[in-house]
Structure formats: C-alpha cells, structure tokens
Amino acid sequence: MQLQSNNKIQNIDLAAEVGLSPPACLKRIKRLREAGIIIGDVCLINPELSGNKLTLIVSIEMDRDRDDIYRLFRQIVMKAPEVTQCYQISGRYDFMLIVCVTDIQAYENLLIAHCVVILTFASFIHPCHYVR
C-alpha cells in the first residue's frame, strides 16, 4: 500500500515504514514486479493544469450483447486521447467512459469525430455527468 500512494519513496524510507531491511525490501519489490503484481508506474496529471478542465462520466448502452463487439468498442474508444478510462459495467448501461476535455465544445467534437464508431455499436449515450 505504501508504494501505491507514493511510488517515488526511497527504498530506505520504505523499508523503515514496513519494518524490513533495505536489501530485503528491494528484493520484495523486485519479486512483486516479476510476479506481475506491480504492473507499472504512473504519473497522475492535474487535469485543470493540463488544460482539461472538464471531466465527464458517459454511460453507453450497446445495441448488441456480444463479447467480440464489446472488445472492439473498447479498443476503438480507448484510442481517443480524451477517453482516459473505459469500464464495462452491468445494469442498464454496458460501458462507462471517463472523458477529460477542455470544454463542452471539445466533448461535442469528440462525439462528432467518433460518431460512426459510436453509432455502429451504441444504441444510447446517456447524457454525461460533470465531475469536479
């Protein structure tokens, strides 16, 4: 959990926090990476400072209930840089997208740019919810 909240922590500090010697701590992290438990390191971007002041949650209802179509939809949608996350969900909707854009016009442009893809797969796009 320590690495999840701060993956830039120095090994010696991490070792002290978890009660291990620094060499043992380093070996444990190496094993976690080799086992695929730690799958990567990321940077969290402040959306407002990067120019994306609007974060939207968009619910998508698919026209068909087929795994191959769902897979293809995810692949295509995730190519749009504005779509930062894509979740397949249960319930009324099939997908939930997290979209970060500069303004509502940029969101509308995204919909227009991907209109063919969206209309090919989706039967309904739920109006988005603004997240602060």
Side-chain angles (χ1 to χ4, degrees):
M1 290 304 251
Q2 302 297 335
L3 283 176
Q4 277 188 298
S5 61
N6 179 11
N7 74 340
K8 295 189 110 187
I9 189 171
Q10 296 292 317
N11 183 56
I12 195 161
D13 297 329
L14 179 60
E17 281 190 40
V18 298
L20 291 172
S21 69
C25 185
L26 202 55
K27 284 180 187 176
R28 184 169 292 181
I29 292 170
K30 184 179 177 189
R31 281 196 313 267
L32 290 171
R33 287 184 188 280
E34 289 170 351
I37 295 169
I38 296 176
I39 57 174
D41 298 296
V42 298
C43 293
L44 300 177
I45 306 286
N46 182 327
E48 285 192 30
L49 294 178
S50 70
N52 290 328
K53 296 181 177 166
L54 192 60
T55 301
L56 305 160
I57 299 172
V58 182
S59 301
I60 307 276
E61 185 178 337
M62 300 298 279
D63 194 31
R64 299 173 198 92
D65 190 17
R66 287 189 16 214
D67 206 35
D68 58 332
I69 291 175
Y70 285 6
R71 240 187 335 272
L72 184 59
F73 178 79
R74 271 193 309 271
Q75 289 171 357
I76 293 169
V77 166
M78 288 307 296
K79 287 182 182 175
E82 299 90 348
V83 178
T84 60
Q85 299 171 56
C86 175
Y87 298 98
Q88 187 173 348
I89 59 175
S90 61
R92 178 176 176 191
Y93 302 106
D94 299 300
F95 285 94
M96 182 180 7
L97 307 178
I98 307 298
V99 178
C100 293
V101 290
T102 53
D103 53 28
I104 200 68
Q105 183 62 49
Y107 173 66
E108 290 173 1
N109 291 342
L110 171 70
L111 289 179
I112 291 166
H114 291 85
C115 193
V116 173
V117 171
I118 292 169
L119 291 177
T120 301
F121 298 109
S123 62
F124 185 75
I125 301 170
H126 188 273
C128 45
H129 304 279
Y130 170 67
V131 178
R132 284 199 129 171

